[in-house]
Amino acid sequence: MVDTREPETRNAQRVTIGVLAVQGDFAEHAAMLRRADPGVIVREVRTPKDLVGLDGLIVPGGESTTIGKLLVAYGLEQPIRAAARHGLPVWGTCAGMILLARDIVGGEPDGRIGLMDLTVQRNAFGRQIDSFEVDLPFAGLEQPLHAVFIRAPIVERVGPEAEALATLPDGRVVAARQGNLLATAFHPELTPDTSLHAWFIRSCRGAATA
Ligand code: GLN
């Protein structure tokens, strides 16, 4: 049947999620969002105007130093911070987690968003095991997540404003949440499991209709 409603009405239930696309594995996140929910509108974000009308934003993995420099160069740092402060759901994976954290051990990248009450150590796993995979229970998900760590950071301190969502078997924190902000040290976008992307989409939809 032809939908004769105005486009605004027709899209009322559709969320638009941005993926910061200046460096790193943004294409994998975009593909995962589409797989998790084909109804989601996915937008690559490279300029401040790309942020207009978003219901959520993913800051991907990559190199936090490079992403941070490009955030400054493209004038994205302040608008993303302001939008996150005003409740835009933002999810950072790996380098994205580093950019969301307030305190960094091991070299502070420029251009951080810096809003989560976390202390994060970059490249926390050293050279010997700088990449590894493990199945992790994740608060709010029924099944454990297959977590891929690539030169990953670790959360050394979860401050009172944030809460841990997942820990390694040795107790170290690798995922945290603070209101509308989510950070994971690992890369769900590099696995077939869409559950965390689906969870993020649901929280964006909730924030959009709130
Ligand atoms: N080691 C990178 C950094 O410090 C992060 C790696 C990743 O995003 N996979 O920014």
Side-chain angles (χ1 to χ4, degrees):
M1 209 204 299
V2 178
D3 190 341
T4 54
R5 291 171 295 166
E6 292 302 311
E8 290 84 339
T9 318
R10 206 181 303 147
N11 286 334
Q13 298 306 316
R14 297 192 72 182
V15 291
T16 302
I17 300 185
V19 183
L20 181 69
V22 297
Q23 194 262 339
D25 73 336
F26 54 86
E28 286 79 0
H29 272 293
M32 279 298 264
L33 287 168
R34 292 190 180 104
R35 277 189 50 217
D37 183 343
V40 167
I41 300 166
V42 180
R43 186 192 299 163
E44 293 188 357
V45 171
R46 294 192 179 83
T47 68
K49 74 171 174 17
D50 296 331
L51 295 168
V52 176
L54 289 186
D55 300 305
L57 176 69
I58 293 179
V59 181
E63 196 52 49
S64 54
T65 323
T66 308
I67 298 177
K69 282 200 173 101
L70 293 172
L71 282 180
V72 175
Y74 297 165
L76 282 163
E77 172 203 7
Q78 308 267 7
I80 291 176
R81 192 181 305 119
R85 275 217 178 96
H86 283 95
L88 180 75
V90 181
W91 173 17
T93 56
C94 201
M97 168 189 257
I98 296 165
L99 292 162
L100 281 176
R102 218 175 269 164
D103 300 306
I104 309 296
V105 182
E108 294 217 351
D110 301 333
R112 284 185 305 117
I113 298 152
L115 290 178
M116 289 186 80
D117 189 9
L118 306 173
T119 302
V120 166
Q121 159 132 42
R122 294 179 67 188
N123 301 320
F125 297 96
R127 283 201 187 137
Q128 300 88 337
I129 50 155
D130 63 9
S131 299
F132 63 100
E133 304 186 14
V134 63
D135 289 327
L136 290 180
F138 195 96
L141 294 184
E142 278 170 29
Q143 302 291 330
L145 267 186
H146 187 66
V148 178
F149 291 82
I150 303 168
R151 299 185 59 235
I154 197 100
V155 180
E156 281 199 344
R157 182 195 62 95
V158 180
E161 294 166 57
E163 60 177 314
L165 295 181
T167 55
L168 290 172
D170 66 11
R172 287 185 290 173
V173 174
V174 288
R177 177 185 194 180
Q178 180 177 320
N180 53 308
L181 308 175
L182 171 67
T184 55
F186 50 88
H187 293 270
E189 73 283 9
L190 301 181
T191 74
D193 183 353
T194 56
S195 57
L196 201 51
H197 285 79
W199 185 89
F200 184 66
I201 292 166
R202 281 195 299 278
S203 62
C204 295
R205 190 167 280 131
T209 54

